[in-house]
Amino acid sequence: MKFHISRQMIYILALAVVCLIIVFVFAFAVLIPSGKEYRLARMEAKKVSYQVDVIQAEYDNVYEKLKALQADNRHIIGAYKTIFNPDRFKKMYEKHFESFTLSELSTHSRDGEFAVYEVNTSSLIQSPQGFYDFLDAVNKSDNITGINFPIHFERDANLIKSSFTMHVYIADQKSKTAETQVEQ
Amino acid sequence: MRYSFIKPRQKRLVSAEFQLLFFFFSITVGMLFASYSYLKIKTIMYESNVETLLAKEETLRQNIVDMHEKIAFIEIEKQHSEGIYTANTVLKESIHNLFDLVPEKITLSQALLKEDELVLYGVTPSKEVYEYLLLAPLRSIFHRSYTSYYAMPNGWYSFVSKNYLDRELAVQ
């Protein structure tokens, strides 16, 4: 039996082989690498997503801690930022004294992160109780104020003349100058 | 005039077999390109997503560092303010105790309180009253006490009492 292959059949077979080669070349040279690339990108995305989830959880924890700390220490945080106003201070605390005068606020020193300003005060009190009440009240003031030595008491007729130094502490983490921090 | 008994076949530029071959290969190539495009698009989307996530991660990390700094600073503020409030309270108690220490028979005219020093000026009916009622308790608090007396015309004594705390001894 004679097997006859026509010219057209040869063309078709040749074309089929060429197309098949193109398909294989495309599959192996382009499709499979891009599949690998896709798989790697997907794995990387999952890995990074997991990392971000972990960091987000840590962020949430730290944020909660910060908010709780800020809420618990609202007064202290505000007090360190509050501009010291001698007139307001005098108005608030003169009720404890017969007379109460404050000197000008002057830059004194630094205490770690805080700028320390010094105020000299002189006052007249009827009894030491006025001074005790002042010391109690100053711990609740708008500023962080420390009463410092030397403290001098002197009898003046029926009154007690007292003079002492106060230190006002202001947080100046961003190195603000005294002029911007303290309202003279 | 007809020369053949069969009808002539219509001549085509591309035969039916070729068309079939083209059709199937076109579908195959189309599917391959569709798969390739899908993989490429998804890869680009994942890469873009990774970039966004990495930027978010960096921001979160920076925010965490900033928040830790804020927390540390609040802790410092808290400790510092507590120290000052405590010092004020201790000062109040110290002055309270000092004035409670002075007996009714002795009248103080001046008191100077320094960090390690207390100077008292006053009047006492006698040296003994001062020594028993005021000097004894002062000696129990301070390391060194010196008193000078000045006789007054009415027989009483004005006194100056200087009392010192020695820091080295206080530490021990």
Side-chain angles (χ1 to χ4, degrees), chain A residues 8 11-12 15-16 19-20 23 26 30-31 34-35 37-38 41-42 44-45 48-49 51-52 55-56 58-59 62-63 65-66 69-70 73 75-77 80 111 113-114 128 131-132 135-136 138-139 144-147 149-155 169 171 173, chain B residues 15 17-18 21-22 25 28-29 32-33 35-36 38-40 42-43 46-47 49-50 53-54 56-57 60-61 63-64 67-71 73-78 80-81 84-86 88-89 91-92 95-97 99 107-115:
Chain A
Q8 193 186 20
Y11 288 156
I12 288 170
L15 189 67
C19 285
L20 213 61
V23 166
F26 185 81
V30 180
L31 204 59
S34 69
E37 207 177 304
Y38 163 80
R42 194 179 63 179
E44 180 70 10
V48 173
S49 175
Q51 276 177 11
V52 170
I55 288 168
Q56 181 72 53
E58 190 189 340
Y59 173 89
V62 178
Y63 181 79
K65 193 180 167 188
L66 176 65
L69 208 60
Q70 281 176 335
N73 299 284
H75 172 71
I76 294 167
I77 295 165
Y80 273 111
D111 183 3
E113 302 280 339
F114 310 102
F131 192 71
Y132 305 151
L135 284 174
D136 280 334
V138 89
N139 277 357
I144 302 293
T145 311
I147 311 300
F149 295 108
I151 299 171
H152 186 232
F153 293 103
E154 190 177 350
R155 176 183 282 272
Y169 298 86
Q173 206 179 11
Chain B
S15 69
E17 291 82 1
F18 264 113
L21 189 74
F22 273 127
F25 273 107
T28 310
V29 170
L32 287 173
F33 267 105
S35 306
Y36 174 73
Y38 171 79
L39 291 174
K40 266 289 168 198
K42 286 297 271 183
T43 305
Y46 278 129
E47 280 170 356
N49 196 20
V50 164
L53 287 171
L54 285 174
K56 189 183 173 185
E57 184 186 338
L60 286 172
R61 278 188 197 282
N63 286 345
I64 288 169
M67 286 194 297
H68 275 303
E69 278 176 11
K70 280 182 186 170
I71 287 170
F73 191 65
I74 292 171
E75 296 284 0
I76 291 171
E77 283 185 328
K78 193 180 163 190
H80 187 258
S81 62
I84 289 162
Y85 291 156
T86 308
N88 286 344
T89 309
L91 184 72
K92 188 193 100 176
I95 295 170
H96 204 294
N97 291 339
F99 286 124
T107 310
L108 288 185
S109 58
Q110 269 189 62
L112 177 65
L113 291 91
K114 292 182 183 175
E115 212 153 333

Side-chain angles (χ1 to χ4, degrees), chain A residues 86-99:
Chain A
D87 293 333
R88 182 175 154 76
F89 190 85
K90 194 178 164 187
K91 233 177 236 178
M92 281 180 73
Y93 299 105
E94 65 186 355
K95 63 185 173 194
H96 301 295
F97 304 93
E98 291 300 310
S99 83

Side-chain angles (χ1 to χ4, degrees), chain A residues 111-178:
Chain A
D111 183 3
E113 302 280 339
F114 310 102
V116 186
Y117 298 91
E118 195 174 79
V119 193
N120 294 315
T121 63
S122 56
S123 60
L124 279 173
I125 44 177
Q126 253 187 347
S127 72
Q129 189 57 45
F131 192 71
Y132 305 151
D133 294 342
F134 168 72
L135 284 174
D136 280 334
V138 89
N139 277 357
K140 293 165 193 155
S141 79
D142 295 342
N143 295 93
I144 302 293
T145 311
I147 311 300
N148 285 77
F149 295 108
I151 299 171
H152 186 232
F153 293 103
E154 190 177 350
R155 176 183 282 272
D156 185 12
N158 291 329
L159 298 172
I160 302 169
K161 201 194 281 180
S162 68
S163 59
F164 54 90
T165 308
M166 292 192 312
H167 283 170
V168 180
Y169 298 86
I170 292 171
D172 63 346
Q173 206 179 11
K174 288 165 191 165
S175 307
K176 287 180 183 171
T177 59

